[in-house]
């Protein structure tokens, strides 16, 4: 304001250098204090006289201030009005009868202020200040049809306010220019306002006083210096019709009307009732089904997935909707390594074999790229490359390679392959060199014959990709050719089909996301997938799904909280020589215990902060020694061994006592020391590590494989198992150690000898059913029928026949390239969904109950954010309390406002010995930002004032926050599970789990001088046999008698204890049994929740029991 006041003074008096301005706040009015001379006052009095006539207001003057000066108090609006009259001409809009726009001359500078009169005209008149780019180039209509906009014509104003049109001053005049943007408008005699759009959004709103408005036209970076500004008046009668009313109505209640929506709008009543009916229809979920964002995302996932992740499995060739592709590279090969190898004896010339992930993709005869410097095609030599960006998924489509060799001329460029994405073409000789490549003859003469076959209506595609709606089942191959090959995990095999004419097709395995929704949960909870190392997919029972859980009829069923009964809980595999040998025998995979590493590049175990590895040997104390090491260093090393971890064979230490250990003594590297009756030797970090090394057995990976094969020798990597029958692979002493370091990333690390590893952490190549059975995972022989399995809201199945749109993280690492998926999905739904009002409401709620990517630290994920956003889609027209409840149980909000894993003071004191109060963040924000606000309000929104202080009354204080913080303790993530997006992350999909031992158990006061829970009976006040009185509620547990807030450790105790007895109801006479059984046709139909609607009589032993927690109703059924 001070700058503006000085500007006004300068405009009126010519100079502000000797003037002084002050602002006094009197109530809610801004007051100028200006010192002026008598001569200046005479000039000003003219303006004041004009102002008095115009506004019928008086200006009060103070008494004289000395002989030569006056002091005048002017209200700020008065002075502003004086300034406008003296400095700014007020532009008037042309009338509807005039066809000449009014040219507006803007002052120079970046901030240009103009004054505009508010039009008096017809309620249908629309005056717009429009920016015009003069002298348009020929044909610059930009495809817009219809009449040119001029006075009296509405074309070009509504529908798309930012479109470009040829602008004519009069019907007969030459075109003035192209409408670059609309700026401000006045409709029907209302105040001037900004027009929606980028240009006007940078401006402030016009300021109107009386009949004149002031607008500050901000200079845009896109603006041409020669641009003109015109005032144009339009007759809006055409848009005051019903269509116009519909458009304006939809503009307020949707993300923008389309012409189709206007045309389809139901106007059957011919009154405003049509709008009410539209709102009612939008709010009715049956008439207008909600478009859920998580569901939309999952249905449109169709990513390539050759290997299983931790939570999702790939398709089987016999699944519905399998894809078979002709081209070699797909979009998910982005940035993967490609090994280009010459098959010619000289190792340089074509043909070239292209290998990805250790498997052959195709053989090409001509591999060239365009060199822009010499403007000629050049050969792409053999070597290691990376796939550029995302290849186009079609034969001959765009594909490129990045060189990884810095010596190559075009090292930093993407080499566009001349012939594009090559078709699949592999010889039988190449295919025979690789394990886990399965070939099958497809019963079609050619590609054309596939769609012309009797089952052609179930085969869709083009010349490069074919989708078989029923996989290979219709081809008769599933019960024969594929039955044995996929009898184990059925995962990780490359499948190539060959037509009669020799054309080859890849089985393009896609991610097999399964439907696990509320009303249709997986019948086995995903238990079938556990043998392949996947997590159980059954969702935990929560307040969201408890009405829809089912008792599984599958022997392989798994439970979210217990897993699978035929899996020993916590079962692990000891990595011993015997077990490594057995893993090889069961799977045929080449896994080795690595030995023989030289100590090159290994640092001293005395190095500060360094992990060092120590191997137990059989040497005696006299043999176990290293000379040249001082006693202080030896003492430190022995202390490190005392605090080491690992097995009896291998120990790991970490040095944080650098002052007593001589790291500069090179003799400490590889030293031996006798301690506690055992000889320990410092060894290489990879000594006795177990690796699955299938990749290194292939003909084009290990440099010696092809050489040995060409000379008639056995594969040098396979021979350790196949010929020497040993699980040990000794690193050759002739090889430099960097050869191991540079290639180690290609091998799957399993663990260290002596470690225990879980079956699910094994690489896919080892997750065979035989392995699971061998190591006790399925040795109990128990049936899991009767497990309670539950689904999750909107956990839909991927539509495998759909065009791939979205990517999905299933255990592998992902970069930032998926960050745009959330906004893309939101935009697609906002533009195309039918439930526009619901989506608008959801968007509004999401701006209040906010979670942000930077607080969650998982910006590359999609599903977790969409699942949170769907809370607002679901409850857009519901009860706000339901919204608050769901976001409070959301893992996303718990991370956002830091109450995740918040524990009670007593629990922290018990476990850590320190006194810490629970986190207060959410307790504060749920009141301040999400609900009641900071001050008490009247029904009209005005503050309630304290009668003594006349100040607003706070709704809560710090004591309330501390009290409520104790209520938000014990909220933790649910267990990890399958069928959801994850990258070694916690479960951020399912509502939080409450851990009883972390909860604060003391009373919490409320905001009304009472305590939370007042009015509810205490446990001690419940009547005897409360399980038989009206209102008693029972939850179905299924086969496992594990109460809802108990833990697996409790279950293990119950399961293995002979002291635990279950109370079983009398099925013949018990009224409680009849209520819980819900029998029809002699069979129980168990419900998830049963609430007694009347008091029941006790029967038999029920009469002698005071209370019950778990009841056995039938065999394998507990409530």
């Amino acid at each position: 304001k001070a700058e503006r006041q000085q500007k006004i003074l300068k405009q009126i008096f010519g100079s502000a250098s000797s003037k002084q301005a002050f602002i006094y706040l009197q109530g809610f009015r801004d007051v100028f204090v200006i010192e002026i001379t008598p001569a200046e006052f005479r000039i000003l009095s003219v303006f004041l006289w004009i102002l008095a006539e115009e506004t019928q207001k008086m200006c009060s003057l103070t008494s004289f201030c000395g002989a030569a000066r006056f002091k005048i108090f002017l209200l700020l609006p008065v002075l502003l009005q004086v300034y406008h009259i003296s400095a700014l001409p007020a532009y008037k809009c042309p009338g509807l009868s005039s066809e000449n726009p009014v040219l507006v001359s803007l002052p120079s500078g970046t901030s240009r202020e103009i004054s505009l009169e508010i039009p008096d005209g017809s309620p249908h008149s629309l005056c717009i200040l429009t920016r015009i780019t003069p002298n348009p180039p020929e044909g610059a209509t930009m495809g817009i049809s219809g009449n040119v906009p001029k006075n009296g014509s509405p074309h070009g104003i509504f529908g798309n306010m930012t479109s470009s049109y040829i602008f004519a001053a009069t019907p007969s005049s030459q075109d003035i220019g192209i409408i670059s943007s609309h700026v401000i408008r006045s409709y029907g005699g209302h105040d001037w306002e900004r027009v929606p759009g980028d240009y006007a959004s940078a401006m402030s709103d016009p300021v109107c006083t009386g009949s004149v408005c002031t607008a500050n036209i901000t200079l845009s970076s896109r603006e041409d210096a020669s641009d003109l500004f015109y005032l144009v008046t339009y007759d809006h009668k055409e848009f005051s019709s019903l269509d116009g009313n519909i458009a304006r109505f939809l503009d307020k209640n949707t993300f923008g009307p389309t012409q189709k929506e206007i045309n389809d709008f139901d106007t059957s009543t011919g009154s405003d009732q049509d709008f009410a009916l539209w709102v009612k229809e939008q709010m009715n979920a049956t008439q207008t089904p909600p478009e859920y964002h998580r569901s939309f995302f999952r249905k449109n996932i169709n990513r390539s997935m050759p290997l299983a992740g931790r939570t999702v499995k790939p398709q089987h060739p016999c699944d519905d909707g399998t894809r078979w592709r002709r081209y070699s590279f797909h979009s998910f090969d982005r940035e993967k390594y490609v090994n280009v190898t010459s098959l010619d004896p000289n190792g340089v010339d074509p043909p070239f074999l292209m290998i990805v992930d250790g498997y052959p993709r195709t053989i090409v005869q001509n591999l060239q790229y365009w060199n822009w410097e010499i403007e000629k095609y050049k050969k792409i030599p053999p070597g290691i490359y990376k796939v550029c960006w995302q290849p186009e998924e079609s034969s001959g489509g765009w594909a490129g390679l990045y060189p990884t060799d810095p010596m190559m001329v075009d090292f930093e460029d993407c080499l566009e392959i001349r012939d594009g994405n090559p078709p699949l073409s592999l010889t039988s000789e190449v295919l025979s060199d690789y394990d886990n490549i399965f070939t099958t003859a497809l019963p079609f003469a050619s590609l054309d014959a596939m769609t012309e076959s009797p089952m052609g209506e179930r085969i869709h595609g083009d010349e490069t990709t074919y989708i078989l709606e029923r996989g290979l089942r219709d081809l008769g191959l599933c019960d024969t050719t594929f039955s044995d090959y996929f009898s184990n995990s059925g995962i990780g095999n490359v499948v190539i089909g060959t037509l009669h004419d020799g054309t080859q097709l890849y089985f393009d395995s896609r991610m097999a996301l399964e439907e696990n929704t509320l009303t249709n949960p997986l019948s086995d909870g995903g238990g079938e997938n556990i043998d392949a190392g996947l997590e159980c997919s059954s969702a935990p029972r929560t307040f969201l799904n408890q009405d829809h859980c089912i008792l599984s009829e599958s022997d392989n069923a798994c439970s979210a909280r217990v897993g699978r009964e035929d899996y020993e809980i916590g079962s692990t595999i000891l990595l011993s020589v015997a077990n490594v040998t057995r893993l090889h025998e069961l799977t045929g995979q080449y896994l080795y215990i690595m030995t023989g590493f030289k100590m090159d590049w290994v640092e001293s175990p005395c190095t500060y902060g360094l992990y060092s590895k120590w191997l137990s040997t059989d040497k005696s104390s006299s043999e176990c020694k290293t000379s040249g090491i001082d006693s202080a260093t030896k003492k430190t090393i022995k202390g490190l061994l005392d605090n080491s971890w690992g097995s009896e064979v291998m120990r790991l230490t970490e040095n944080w006592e650098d002052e007593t250990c001589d790291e500069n003594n090179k003799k400490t590297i590889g030293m031996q020391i006798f301690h506690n009756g055992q000889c320990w030797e410092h060894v290489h970090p990879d000594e006795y590590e177990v690796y699955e090394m299938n990749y290194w057995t292939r003909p084009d990976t290990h440099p010696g494989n092809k050489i040995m094969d060409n000379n008639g020798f056995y594969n040098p990597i396979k021979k350790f198992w196949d010929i020497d029958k040993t699980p040990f692979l000794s690193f050759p002493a002739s090889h430099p150690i960097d050869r191991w370091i540079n290639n180690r990333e290609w091998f799957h690390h399993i663990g260290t000898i002596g470690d225990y590893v879980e079956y699910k952490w094994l690489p896919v190549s080892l997750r065979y059913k035989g392995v699971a059975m061998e190591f006790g995972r399925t040795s109990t022989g128990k049936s899991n029928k009767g497990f309670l399995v539950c689904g999750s809201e909107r956990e839909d199945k991927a539509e495998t026949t759909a065009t791939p749109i979205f990517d999905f993280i299933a255990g592998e690492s992902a970069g930032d390239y998926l960050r745009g998926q959330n906004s893309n999905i939101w935009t697609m739904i906002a533009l195309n969904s039918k439930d526009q009002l619901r989506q608008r409401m959801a968007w509004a709620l999401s701006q209040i109950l906010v979670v942000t990517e930077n607080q969650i630290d998982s910006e590359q994920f999609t599903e977790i954010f969409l699942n949170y956003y769907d809370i607002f889609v679901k409850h857009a027209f519901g009860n706000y309390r339901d919204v608050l409840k769901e976001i409070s149980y959301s893992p996303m909000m718990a991370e956002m406002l830091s109450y995740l894993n918040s524990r009670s003071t007593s629990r922290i004191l018990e476990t850590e010995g320190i006194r810490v109060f629970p986190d207060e963040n959410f307790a504060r924000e749920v009141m301040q930002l999400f609900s009641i606000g900071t001050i008490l309000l009247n029904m009209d929104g005005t503050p309630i004032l304290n009668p003594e202080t006349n100040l607003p009354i706070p709704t809560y204080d710090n004591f309330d926050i501390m009290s409520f913080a104790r209520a938000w303790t014990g909220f933790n993530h649910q267990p990890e599970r399958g069928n959801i997006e994850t990258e070694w992350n916690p479960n951020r999909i399912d509502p939080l789990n409450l851990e009883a031992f972390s909860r604060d158990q003391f009373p919490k006061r409320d905001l009304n001088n009472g305590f939370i829970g007042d009015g509810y009976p205490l446990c001690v006040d419940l009547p005897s046999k409360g399980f038989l009185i009206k209102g008693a509620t029972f939850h179905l547990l299924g086969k496992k008698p594990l109460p809802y807030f108990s833990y697996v450790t409790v279950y293990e105790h119950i399961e293995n204890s002979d002291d635990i007895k279950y109370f079983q109801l009398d099925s013949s006479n018990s009224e409680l049994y009849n209520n819980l059984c819900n029998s029809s046709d002699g069979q129980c139909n168990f419900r998830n929740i049963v609430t007694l609607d009347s008091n029941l009589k006790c029967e038999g032993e029920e009469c002698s029991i005071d209370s019950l927690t778990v009841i056995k109703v039938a065999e394998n059924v507990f409530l």
Side-chain angles (χ1 to χ4, degrees), residues 45 134 205 217 277 409 423 506 589 594 793 945 960 966 997 1100:
S45 65
D205 287 315
I217 311 301
L277 292 174
V409 176
Y506 267 115
Q589 307 302 310
M594 297 301 300
E793 290 182 304
L945 302 180
D960 295 317
R966 295 189 289 111
F997 57 78

Side-chain angles (χ1 to χ4, degrees), residues 535-771:
E535 301 281 358
C536 178
S537 299
S538 181
R541 189 184 68 185
T542 67
F543 66 95
L544 294 178
N545 61 12
Q546 61 184 1
D547 292 331
H548 303 281
C549 299
I550 61 173
L551 294 177
S552 177
E553 294 294 320
S554 171
D555 290 332
N556 289 324
C558 68
S559 163
R561 306 185 71 203
V562 182
R564 240 174 60 181
E565 188 176 64
D566 60 0
Y567 276 21
E568 297 177 12
I569 297 174
S571 174
T572 55
I573 301 172
L574 171 65
L575 287 182
S576 63
V577 173
N579 285 344
V580 170
T581 301
R582 189 62 182 139
L583 285 171
H584 168 72
E585 293 171 349
L586 290 168
T587 65
Q589 307 302 310
Y590 291 88
L591 65 160
Y592 288 109
I593 304 168
M594 297 301 300
T595 63
F597 291 107
K598 294 180 291 186
M599 299 296 284
D600 298 351
W601 299 3
V602 177
E603 296 186 64
S604 167
C606 293
T607 304
Y608 185 75
L610 178 75
Y611 289 97
S612 59
K613 179 180 283 189
W614 298 82
L615 175 65
S616 173
T617 71
D618 296 331
K619 292 182 179 182
S620 64
S621 59
S622 60
E623 298 172 315
C624 183
K625 61 180 64 175
T626 300
S627 61
I629 299 177
D630 62 88
S631 58
T633 297
K634 289 181 180 180
K635 182 179 179 181
T636 299
I637 295 296
K638 290 179 180 181
L640 293 177
L641 287 171
D642 287 337
N643 293 292
S644 63
W645 62 95
S647 65
E648 295 180 358
V649 178
M650 193 71 64
R651 308 293 292 177
L652 288 172
T653 65
E654 185 177 17
N655 179 35
W656 294 108
E657 303 178 14
D658 63 328
E659 68 277 2
T660 61
C661 199
D662 185 6
E663 65 177 284
N664 295 318
N665 187 346
K666 300 300 181 184
K667 291 186 177 182
T668 59
I669 301 173
M671 67 177 287
Q672 298 178 9
I673 190 169
F674 198 84
H675 183 56
N676 291 336
Q678 190 73 40
C679 180
W680 294 96
E681 180 181 356
H682 177 224
V683 295
H684 189 279
D686 279 319
E687 192 78 10
Y688 275 66
E689 295 297 306
V690 182
Y691 286 90
E692 183 265 89
M693 304 184 68
N694 290 337
Y695 175 84
W696 215 227
T697 66
R698 295 164 193 160
D700 44 48
T701 53
H702 184 271
N705 291 353
K706 185 174 291 187
I707 297 173
M708 300 294 280
D709 182 62
N710 291 339
N711 289 279
F713 294 100
Y714 204 81
N715 184 292
I717 305 300
K718 291 182 177 181
K719 79 179 188 66
F720 289 91
W721 268 122
D722 296 352
I723 297 177
D724 301 339
K725 306 299 181 183
T726 176
F728 293 96
L729 193 160
S730 181
F731 188 76
S734 60
H735 289 355
I737 193 64
D738 59 338
R739 184 167 173 178
W740 166 258
I741 295 172
N742 293 335
N743 290 284
R744 183 174 49 192
E745 64 177 298
W746 299 104
F747 317 136
H748 292 291
H749 181 243
I750 298 173
T752 307
I753 285 295
D755 284 351
Y756 285 88
V757 296
E758 291 189 50
Y759 173 82
K760 66 181 179 181
W761 302 124
L762 293 175
V764 173
S765 58
L766 299 178
R767 295 205 296 256
Y768 277 65
K769 187 174 292 185
V771 174

Side-chain angles (χ1 to χ4, degrees), residues 952-1011:
I953 301 175
T955 52
Y956 59 87
D957 56 27
N958 284 336
F959 291 105
D960 295 317
I961 295 173
M962 293 180 67
S963 178
F964 291 165
R966 295 189 289 111
W968 297 109
T969 53
F971 286 82
N972 291 325
H973 287 120
Q974 296 282 4
E976 291 183 83
R977 66 179 181 90
N979 207 44
I980 59 176
E981 188 180 29
T982 184
E983 181 194 7
W984 313 101
N985 292 92
N987 181 344
R988 291 186 172 115
I989 292 292
D990 299 312
L992 294 167
N993 180 43
L994 280 175
E995 290 185 350
F997 57 78
S998 294
R999 296 279 292 166
D1000 184 284
Q1001 301 179 19
F1002 295 97
K1004 291 92 179 167
R1005 77 176 196 180
D1006 59 24
L1007 296 176
N1008 300 308
N1009 299 317
F1011 288 87

Side-chain angles (χ1 to χ4, degrees), residues 907-975:
R907 179 63 178 172
I908 298 175
L909 185 62
E910 174 188 351
T911 56
E912 301 179 23
I914 57 176
R915 192 182 304 277
V916 178
F917 293 105
D919 188 276
E920 299 175 1
N921 200 3
F922 186 69
R924 179 188 304 104
E925 307 300 4
V926 74
M927 293 186 290
Q928 177 178 339
L929 300 181
F930 300 164
S931 57
I932 59 177
T934 57
I935 59 175
L936 294 176
L937 301 176
N938 294 303
M939 288 303 293
D940 62 359
T942 57
I944 298 177
L945 302 180
N946 186 319
E948 296 180 0
T949 64
N950 204 36
L951 295 175
I953 301 175
T955 52
Y956 59 87
D957 56 27
N958 284 336
F959 291 105
D960 295 317
I961 295 173
M962 293 180 67
S963 178
F964 291 165
R966 295 189 289 111
W968 297 109
T969 53
F971 286 82
N972 291 325
H973 287 120
Q974 296 282 4

Side-chain angles (χ1 to χ4, degrees), residues 794-866:
R794 306 170 293 279
E795 195 168 309
D796 288 289
K797 178 180 181 179
E799 297 177 354
T800 54
T801 57
T803 301
I805 300 178
F806 304 121
D807 203 348
F808 186 95
I809 302 171
E812 75 281 14
S813 178
D816 292 338
Y817 71 97
L818 296 184
R819 291 189 64 177
Q821 286 196 151
N822 289 310
S823 58
N824 288 344
I825 290 166
W826 184 92
T827 303
M828 294 173 74
I829 292 177
L831 291 176
N832 302 306
S833 68
K834 302 297 184 185
D835 60 333
Q836 287 282 302
L837 185 61
R838 180 183 295 272
Q839 297 297 332
R840 275 289 295 263
M841 188 64 190
W843 171 251
L845 289 170
S846 74
Q847 303 307 294
I848 301 171
L849 305 150
V850 177
V851 297
T852 59
E853 292 178 347
N854 59 340
Q855 292 294 104
I856 306 300
D857 193 28
S858 291
E859 65 273 5
Q860 73 271 32
F861 287 94
T862 304
E863 187 173 23
I864 57 175
F865 290 99
L866 302 181

Side-chain angles (χ1 to χ4, degrees), residues 516-523 525 538-553 558-561 786-793 990 1035-1038 1044 1085-1089:
N516 187 37
T517 57
L518 281 187
T519 55
N520 191 27
L522 284 166
S523 60
S538 181
R541 189 184 68 185
T542 67
F543 66 95
L544 294 178
N545 61 12
Q546 61 184 1
D547 292 331
H548 303 281
C549 299
I550 61 173
L551 294 177
S552 177
E553 294 294 320
C558 68
S559 163
R561 306 185 71 203
F787 265 18
L788 192 71
V789 295
C790 306
S792 172
E793 290 182 304
D990 299 312
H1035 292 264
L1036 181 64
L1037 299 176
Y1044 189 63
N1085 297 298
F1086 297 107
R1087 293 163 290 178
N1088 282 285
I1089 302 175

